[in-house]
Amino acid sequence: MKAITVIASPRMEGNCRKIVDSITEGINENNGENKIYYVDKIDIKPCQACGGCRNPEKPSKCVINDDFRKIMDEVEDADCFIFASPNYFGEINAQGHIFMDRFYSMTKNTSNQLKGNQKAVIVFTYGAPTGTYDEYINSRVKIFESIGLNVVELMSVGGNKPSSGDSEDVYKKARDIGLNL
């Protein structure tokens, strides 16, 4: 099992990382590996809406040559893609947006859609009670599916967990997800 993870949180040891660490623990128990990237630590530009990825005469990957392309090439060769992001004010944070906006170059209307049926695990954390933003979060999941990912797990974790404490259930669920990938 080879997983590639993108963490959109600017907090290197925040809730997203703590949950991803538990997922990774499960992956490692099955002799797998998980490579982790932070959006804040990579070179990623916003989509320029140039249409290069949608040119029917000369189909190409996104014309912006930055770390997004590198990471998505790695995802293409991986078994699983994990994406973790905090929700701020009911929406994915800015770092998550900039990464996900680049999925525009990979939808079914392009030749770049993932074709390997990679699994995806999506993690969203937030301070409000768990479930508060599930309608919004479920709409975000459809974006991952639009690029060819098979979303097998979604963790919607509220209450500022795991940082707020009493999070053994969150850690166990995350570890079990990693074990079952």
Side-chain angles (χ1 to χ4, degrees):
M1 158 61 66
K2 180 179 176 184
I4 303 296
T5 296
V6 170
I7 298 177
S9 176
R11 295 175 52 222
M12 302 300 147
E13 299 301 325
N15 291 326
C16 289
R17 178 60 189 245
K18 291 175 183 179
I19 293 169
V20 166
D21 283 348
S22 291
I23 294 170
T24 302
E25 184 181 312
I27 291 170
N28 291 342
E29 283 183 44
N30 280 332
N31 297 314
E33 61 183 63
N34 185 16
K35 187 172 185 180
I36 299 172
Y37 293 97
Y38 282 92
V39 174
D40 269 2
K41 299 290 183 189
I42 60 177
D43 176 31
I44 183 167
K45 310 277 189 288
C47 176
Q48 297 299 300
C50 67
C53 61
R54 297 178 180 279
N55 182 345
E57 295 172 18
K58 188 180 176 191
S60 71
K61 292 191 176 194
C62 181
V63 298
I64 301 171
N65 190 12
D66 63 3
D67 289 334
F68 175 82
R69 282 184 39 189
K70 174 188 161 206
I71 291 168
M72 294 315 292
D73 285 346
E74 289 181 33
V75 169
E76 210 163 17
D77 293 330
D79 302 300
C80 182
F81 177 60
I82 301 166
F83 182 83
S85 179
N87 261 13
Y88 296 160
F89 303 106
E91 293 187 11
I92 190 171
N93 71 341
Q95 292 89 334
H97 265 295
I98 199 169
F99 191 86
M100 287 180 63
D101 282 351
R102 294 287 294 283
F103 288 169
Y104 181 74
S105 67
M106 300 178 70
T107 64
K108 64 183 175 184
N109 297 331
T110 72
S111 61
N112 305 316
Q113 189 177 41
L114 295 170
K115 295 165 183 66
N117 199 28
Q118 290 84 356
K119 295 177 182 175
V121 175
I122 313 301
V123 177
F124 284 104
T125 62
Y126 45 93
T130 294
T132 301
Y133 302 119
D134 282 357
E135 184 177 342
Y136 171 80
I137 289 169
N138 287 327
S139 72
R140 301 293 91 191
V141 168
K142 291 176 183 169
I143 296 171
F144 290 89
E145 292 169 341
S146 77
I147 67 165
L149 290 165
N150 176 19
V151 178
V152 295
E153 291 288 345
L154 168 62
M155 288 189 72
S156 171
V157 182
N160 197 33
K161 288 187 177 186
S163 293
S164 63
D166 189 28
S167 298
E168 288 308 309
D169 58 331
V170 172
Y171 289 128
K172 181 181 179 335
K173 180 177 180 180
R175 185 180 157 278
D176 287 348
I177 287 170
L179 277 169
N180 292 318
L181 287 173

PDB file of all heavy atoms in Angstrom, residues 18 21 30 39 43 46 51 72 77 91 110 116 138 154 165 170:
ATOM      1  N   LYS A  18      -2.454  15.105  13.393  1.00  0.00           N
ATOM      2  CA  LYS A  18      -2.664  14.063  14.403  1.00  0.00           C
ATOM      3  C   LYS A  18      -3.531  12.938  13.840  1.00  0.00           C
ATOM      4  O   LYS A  18      -3.261  11.758  14.072  1.00  0.00           O
ATOM      5  CB  LYS A  18      -3.290  14.659  15.659  1.00  0.00           C
ATOM      6  CG  LYS A  18      -2.334  15.564  16.416  1.00  0.00           C
ATOM      7  CD  LYS A  18      -3.020  16.236  17.583  1.00  0.00           C
ATOM      8  CE  LYS A  18      -2.054  17.187  18.283  1.00  0.00           C
ATOM      9  NZ  LYS A  18      -2.674  17.866  19.406  1.00  0.00           N
ATOM     10  N   ASP A  21      -1.510  11.045  11.216  1.00  0.00           N
ATOM     11  CA  ASP A  21      -0.541  10.158  11.880  1.00  0.00           C
ATOM     12  C   ASP A  21      -1.194   8.834  12.294  1.00  0.00           C
ATOM     13  O   ASP A  21      -0.580   7.777  12.179  1.00  0.00           O
ATOM     14  CB  ASP A  21       0.085  10.840  13.089  1.00  0.00           C
ATOM     15  CG  ASP A  21       1.150  11.851  12.715  1.00  0.00           C
ATOM     16  OD1 ASP A  21       1.580  11.881  11.535  1.00  0.00           O
ATOM     17  OD2 ASP A  21       1.564  12.629  13.608  1.00  0.00           O
ATOM     18  N   ASN A  30       0.387  -2.522   8.068  1.00  0.00           N
ATOM     19  CA  ASN A  30       0.206  -3.420   6.920  1.00  0.00           C
ATOM     20  C   ASN A  30       1.383  -3.313   5.947  1.00  0.00           C
ATOM     21  O   ASN A  30       1.240  -3.606   4.762  1.00  0.00           O
ATOM     22  CB  ASN A  30      -1.095  -3.090   6.186  1.00  0.00           C
ATOM     23  CG  ASN A  30      -2.300  -3.677   6.872  1.00  0.00           C
ATOM     24  OD1 ASN A  30      -2.210  -4.701   7.538  1.00  0.00           O
ATOM     25  ND2 ASN A  30      -3.440  -3.034   6.723  1.00  0.00           N
ATOM     26  N   VAL A  39       0.626  21.830   2.113  1.00  0.00           N
ATOM     27  CA  VAL A  39       0.419  22.842   1.088  1.00  0.00           C
ATOM     28  C   VAL A  39       1.306  24.063   1.369  1.00  0.00           C
ATOM     29  O   VAL A  39       1.877  24.643   0.446  1.00  0.00           O
ATOM     30  CB  VAL A  39      -1.067  23.247   0.971  1.00  0.00           C
ATOM     31  CG1 VAL A  39      -1.252  24.405   0.010  1.00  0.00           C
ATOM     32  CG2 VAL A  39      -1.916  22.050   0.521  1.00  0.00           C
ATOM     33  N   ASP A  43       5.500  24.370  -3.512  1.00  0.00           N
ATOM     34  CA  ASP A  43       5.306  25.449  -4.488  1.00  0.00           C
ATOM     35  C   ASP A  43       4.060  25.133  -5.297  1.00  0.00           C
ATOM     36  O   ASP A  43       4.071  24.219  -6.132  1.00  0.00           O
ATOM     37  CB  ASP A  43       6.531  25.543  -5.402  1.00  0.00           C
ATOM     38  CG  ASP A  43       6.356  26.570  -6.511  1.00  0.00           C
ATOM     39  OD1 ASP A  43       5.641  27.569  -6.298  1.00  0.00           O
ATOM     40  OD2 ASP A  43       6.936  26.364  -7.593  1.00  0.00           O
ATOM     41  N   PRO A  46      -2.126  29.134  -7.979  1.00  0.00           N
ATOM     42  CA  PRO A  46      -3.555  28.972  -8.238  1.00  0.00           C
ATOM     43  C   PRO A  46      -3.826  28.708  -9.718  1.00  0.00           C
ATOM     44  O   PRO A  46      -3.020  29.073 -10.579  1.00  0.00           O
ATOM     45  CB  PRO A  46      -4.155  30.317  -7.808  1.00  0.00           C
ATOM     46  CG  PRO A  46      -3.027  31.281  -7.827  1.00  0.00           C
ATOM     47  CD  PRO A  46      -1.759  30.509  -7.622  1.00  0.00           C
ATOM     48  N   GLY A  51      -7.176  27.344 -19.722  1.00  0.00           N
ATOM     49  CA  GLY A  51      -7.813  26.384 -20.608  1.00  0.00           C
ATOM     50  C   GLY A  51      -6.863  25.417 -21.281  1.00  0.00           C
ATOM     51  O   GLY A  51      -7.290  24.592 -22.081  1.00  0.00           O
ATOM     52  N   MET A  72       0.378  15.089  -7.995  1.00  0.00           N
ATOM     53  CA  MET A  72      -0.678  14.328  -8.656  1.00  0.00           C
ATOM     54  C   MET A  72      -0.102  13.222  -9.538  1.00  0.00           C
ATOM     55  O   MET A  72      -0.730  12.174  -9.709  1.00  0.00           O
ATOM     56  CB  MET A  72      -1.611  15.250  -9.430  1.00  0.00           C
ATOM     57  CG  MET A  72      -2.414  16.193  -8.516  1.00  0.00           C
ATOM     58  SD  MET A  72      -3.175  15.441  -7.036  1.00  0.00           S
ATOM     59  CE  MET A  72      -4.425  14.406  -7.767  1.00  0.00           C
ATOM     60  N   ASP A  77       0.453   7.029  -9.386  1.00  0.00           N
ATOM     61  CA  ASP A  77       1.192   5.785  -9.170  1.00  0.00           C
ATOM     62  C   ASP A  77       0.942   5.171  -7.799  1.00  0.00           C
ATOM     63  O   ASP A  77       1.498   4.123  -7.484  1.00  0.00           O
ATOM     64  CB  ASP A  77       2.702   6.038  -9.335  1.00  0.00           C
ATOM     65  CG  ASP A  77       3.071   6.392 -10.760  1.00  0.00           C
ATOM     66  OD1 ASP A  77       2.380   5.919 -11.690  1.00  0.00           O
ATOM     67  OD2 ASP A  77       4.047   7.142 -10.944  1.00  0.00           O
ATOM     68  N   GLU A  91     -16.071  26.618   5.797  1.00  0.00           N
ATOM     69  CA  GLU A  91     -15.525  26.272   4.484  1.00  0.00           C
ATOM     70  C   GLU A  91     -14.094  25.792   4.628  1.00  0.00           C
ATOM     71  O   GLU A  91     -13.407  26.119   5.589  1.00  0.00           O
ATOM     72  CB  GLU A  91     -15.534  27.493   3.560  1.00  0.00           C
ATOM     73  CG  GLU A  91     -16.910  27.965   3.191  1.00  0.00           C
ATOM     74  CD  GLU A  91     -16.867  29.061   2.147  1.00  0.00           C
ATOM     75  OE1 GLU A  91     -15.799  29.313   1.560  1.00  0.00           O
ATOM     76  OE2 GLU A  91     -17.922  29.653   1.900  1.00  0.00           O
ATOM     77  N   THR A 110     -11.448  16.375 -19.221  1.00  0.00           N
ATOM     78  CA  THR A 110     -10.060  16.466 -19.675  1.00  0.00           C
ATOM     79  C   THR A 110      -9.519  15.058 -19.901  1.00  0.00           C
ATOM     80  O   THR A 110     -10.143  14.072 -19.522  1.00  0.00           O
ATOM     81  CB  THR A 110      -9.160  17.159 -18.627  1.00  0.00           C
ATOM     82  OG1 THR A 110      -8.971  16.277 -17.517  1.00  0.00           O
ATOM     83  CG2 THR A 110      -9.748  18.477 -18.159  1.00  0.00           C
ATOM     84  N   GLY A 116      -6.551   5.036 -12.402  1.00  0.00           N
ATOM     85  CA  GLY A 116      -6.130   3.866 -11.654  1.00  0.00           C
ATOM     86  C   GLY A 116      -7.058   3.449 -10.537  1.00  0.00           C
ATOM     87  O   GLY A 116      -6.761   2.549  -9.784  1.00  0.00           O
ATOM     88  N   ASN A 138     -19.724  17.063   2.380  1.00  0.00           N
ATOM     89  CA  ASN A 138     -20.151  16.074   1.374  1.00  0.00           C
ATOM     90  C   ASN A 138     -20.100  16.657  -0.035  1.00  0.00           C
ATOM     91  O   ASN A 138     -19.805  15.939  -0.998  1.00  0.00           O
ATOM     92  CB  ASN A 138     -21.542  15.540   1.702  1.00  0.00           C
ATOM     93  CG  ASN A 138     -21.515  14.610   2.896  1.00  0.00           C
ATOM     94  OD1 ASN A 138     -20.543  13.900   3.123  1.00  0.00           O
ATOM     95  ND2 ASN A 138     -22.576  14.628   3.686  1.00  0.00           N
ATOM     96  N   LEU A 154     -14.565   9.169   4.744  1.00  0.00           N
ATOM     97  CA  LEU A 154     -14.664  10.592   5.034  1.00  0.00           C
ATOM     98  C   LEU A 154     -14.698  10.745   6.540  1.00  0.00           C
ATOM     99  O   LEU A 154     -15.533  10.131   7.208  1.00  0.00           O
ATOM    100  CB  LEU A 154     -15.930  11.189   4.420  1.00  0.00           C
ATOM    101  CG  LEU A 154     -16.307  12.598   4.866  1.00  0.00           C
ATOM    102  CD1 LEU A 154     -15.225  13.600   4.479  1.00  0.00           C
ATOM    103  CD2 LEU A 154     -17.655  12.998   4.304  1.00  0.00           C
ATOM    104  N   GLY A 165      -8.899  17.055  23.417  1.00  0.00           N
ATOM    105  CA  GLY A 165      -8.866  15.917  24.336  1.00  0.00           C
ATOM    106  C   GLY A 165      -9.990  14.937  24.085  1.00  0.00           C
ATOM    107  O   GLY A 165     -10.828  15.123  23.211  1.00  0.00           O
ATOM    108  N   VAL A 170     -11.603   9.054  17.808  1.00  0.00           N
ATOM    109  CA  VAL A 170     -11.099   9.631  16.558  1.00  0.00           C
ATOM    110  C   VAL A 170      -9.830   8.899  16.129  1.00  0.00           C
ATOM    111  O   VAL A 170      -9.678   8.498  14.972  1.00  0.00           O
ATOM    112  CB  VAL A 170     -10.824  11.146  16.712  1.00  0.00           C
ATOM    113  CG1 VAL A 170     -10.117  11.702  15.479  1.00  0.00           C
ATOM    114  CG2 VAL A 170     -12.127  11.893  16.980  1.00  0.00           C
TER     115      VAL A 170
END
